[in-house]
């Protein structure tokens, strides 16, 4: 009975993970936050369906059985670390309830599809526009380069969105259209700020997704931004946990690459 329950849980969990990643694949969301759920889902489903064959084979190969057990122990430890990271993100997000005066707003890119901002990027732009309408005299710097398969840069798509959806004047929008990462977003933005007699030592608002504020702020400090106000935009529920999973690996790679 216990084995049947375990297999059923594996099967249900595997199907949920597989469908979660596969559906996002259809919307061209292909990254670690979607690839890993699909792969884990396939492993869970296969294990559930072939449970007896796997166990019989492992019973005949003691060494392989030990590797199998160690693999599940390692996977469980990874899941615990992931749960801890998710809790950390959930409890540590910077929630901007008040907006102090700043000298400029930087909006970090988050991908476009067929020339239009992704749901996460649209949320960032909506949040930035609301902030910009409170401080009508400051420039808005939109940052993002050319995505694979796209004909316009993220920055251009972001500028169009702000103009069309929020009637932000083109004179206020500055474009940083060469970056492909958060580190480059902020590094390249410094040169543009300098062209407009602004420096990263002044009060700068950085608008990004809620899950991304912690890493973005750490990178900003490494890049010399000494007086940043992190403004968080909500992440759509449909992609929230996939985005958090992707951010988990981004944290690790950022640490390895000494981004912060």
């Amino acid at each position: 009975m216990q084995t049947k329950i375990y297999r059923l849980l594996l099967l249900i969990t595997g199907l949920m993970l597989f469908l979660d990643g596969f559906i996002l694949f259809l919307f061209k969301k292909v990254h670690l936050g979607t690839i890993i759920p699909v792969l884990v889902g396939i492993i869970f489903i296969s294990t559930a369906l072939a449970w007896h064959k796997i166990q019989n084979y492992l019973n005949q190969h003691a060494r392989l059985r030990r590797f199998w057990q160690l693999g599940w122990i390692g996977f469980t430890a990874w899941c615990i670390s992931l749960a801890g990271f998710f809790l950390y993100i959930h409890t540590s997000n910077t929630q901007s309830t008040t907006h102090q005066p700043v000298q400029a707003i930087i909006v970090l890119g988050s991908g476009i599809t067929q020339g239009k901002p992704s749901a996460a990027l649209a949320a960032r732009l909506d949040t930035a526009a609301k902030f910009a309408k409170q401080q009508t005299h400051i420039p808005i710097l939109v940052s993002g380069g050319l995505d694979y398969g796209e004909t316009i840069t993220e920055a251009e798509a972001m500028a169009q969105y702000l103009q069309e959806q929020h009637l932000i004047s083109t004179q206020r929008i500055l474009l940083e259209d060469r970056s492909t990462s958060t580190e480059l977003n902020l590094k390249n933005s410094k040169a543009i700020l300098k062209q407009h007699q602004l420096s990263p030592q002044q009060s700068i608002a950085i608008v990004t997704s809620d899950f991304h504020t912690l890493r973005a702020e750490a990178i900003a400090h490494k890049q010399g931004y000494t007086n940043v106000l992190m403004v968080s935009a909500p992440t759509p529920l449909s992609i929230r946990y996939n985005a958090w999973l992707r951010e988990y690996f981004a944290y690790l790679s950022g640490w390895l690459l000494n981004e912060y």
Side-chain angles (χ1 to χ4, degrees), residues 6 10 13 40 43-48 51 54-55 58 64-80:
Y6 186 64
L10 270 180
T13 304
V40 173
I43 293 171
F44 278 17
I45 293 168
S46 302
T47 301
W51 180 266
I54 292 173
Q55 293 305 314
L58 292 175
L64 187 59
R65 185 175 188 84
R66 283 196 294 271
F67 279 115
W68 176 264
Q69 292 170 341
L70 287 173
W72 280 104
I73 291 172
F75 179 75
T76 301
W78 177 76
C79 287
I80 292 172

Side-chain angles (χ1 to χ4, degrees), residues 31-121:
H31 50 70
L32 284 176
T34 54
I35 294 171
I36 288 178
V38 168
L39 293 177
V40 173
I42 290 172
I43 293 171
F44 278 17
I45 293 168
S46 302
T47 301
L49 295 178
W51 180 266
H52 292 300
K53 290 183 178 179
I54 292 173
Q55 293 305 314
N56 289 335
Y57 186 81
L58 292 175
N59 287 334
Q60 299 172 24
H61 300 81
R63 182 175 295 180
L64 187 59
R65 185 175 188 84
R66 283 196 294 271
F67 279 115
W68 176 264
Q69 292 170 341
L70 287 173
W72 280 104
I73 291 172
F75 179 75
T76 301
W78 177 76
C79 287
I80 292 172
S81 74
L82 184 63
F85 179 79
F86 278 16
L87 181 63
Y88 174 68
I89 289 289
H90 177 71
T91 58
S92 302
N93 278 335
T94 303
Q95 299 298 330
S96 301
T97 55
T98 59
H99 292 147
Q100 66 190 49
V102 296
Q103 303 302 311
I105 300 171
I106 297 176
V107 190
L108 303 180
S110 185
I112 61 175
T113 303
Q114 296 180 344
K116 302 295 182 181
S118 65
L121 183 53

Side-chain angles (χ1 to χ4, degrees), residues 7 73 91 115 123-124 156 193 201 216 238 250 255:
R7 290 178 65 189
I73 291 172
T91 58
R124 296 182 187 189
E156 291 173 304
L193 290 174
Q201 286 73 47
S238 60
W255 177 73

Side-chain angles (χ1 to χ4, degrees), residues 131-218:
F131 191 9
K133 289 175 182 178
Q134 295 175 352
Q135 301 190 45
T136 57
H137 62 288
I138 60 174
I140 309 167
L141 196 161
V142 290
S143 181
L146 189 65
D147 282 352
Y148 176 78
E150 296 293 338
T151 57
I152 65 171
T153 65
E154 274 189 80
E156 291 173 304
M158 293 162 76
Q160 290 177 10
Y161 184 92
L162 288 173
Q163 294 161 22
E164 296 171 1
Q165 300 298 320
H166 296 284
L167 304 179
I168 302 292
S169 169
T170 56
Q171 283 72 31
R172 292 188 63 187
I173 302 175
L174 310 178
L175 275 67
E176 185 289 295
D177 57 5
R178 300 179 62 186
S179 59
T180 55
S181 68
T182 302
E183 183 182 26
L184 288 175
N185 282 158
L186 295 168
K187 182 178 180 180
N188 295 344
S189 293
K190 287 193 294 185
I192 297 174
L193 290 174
K194 186 176 180 181
Q195 292 172 6
H196 292 81
Q197 291 74 54
L198 295 168
S199 77
Q201 286 73 47
Q202 292 177 280
S203 180
I204 306 291
I206 298 177
V207 183
T208 190
S209 298
D210 46 17
F211 66 87
H212 188 231
T213 54
L214 297 172
R215 184 165 62 94
E217 184 174 20

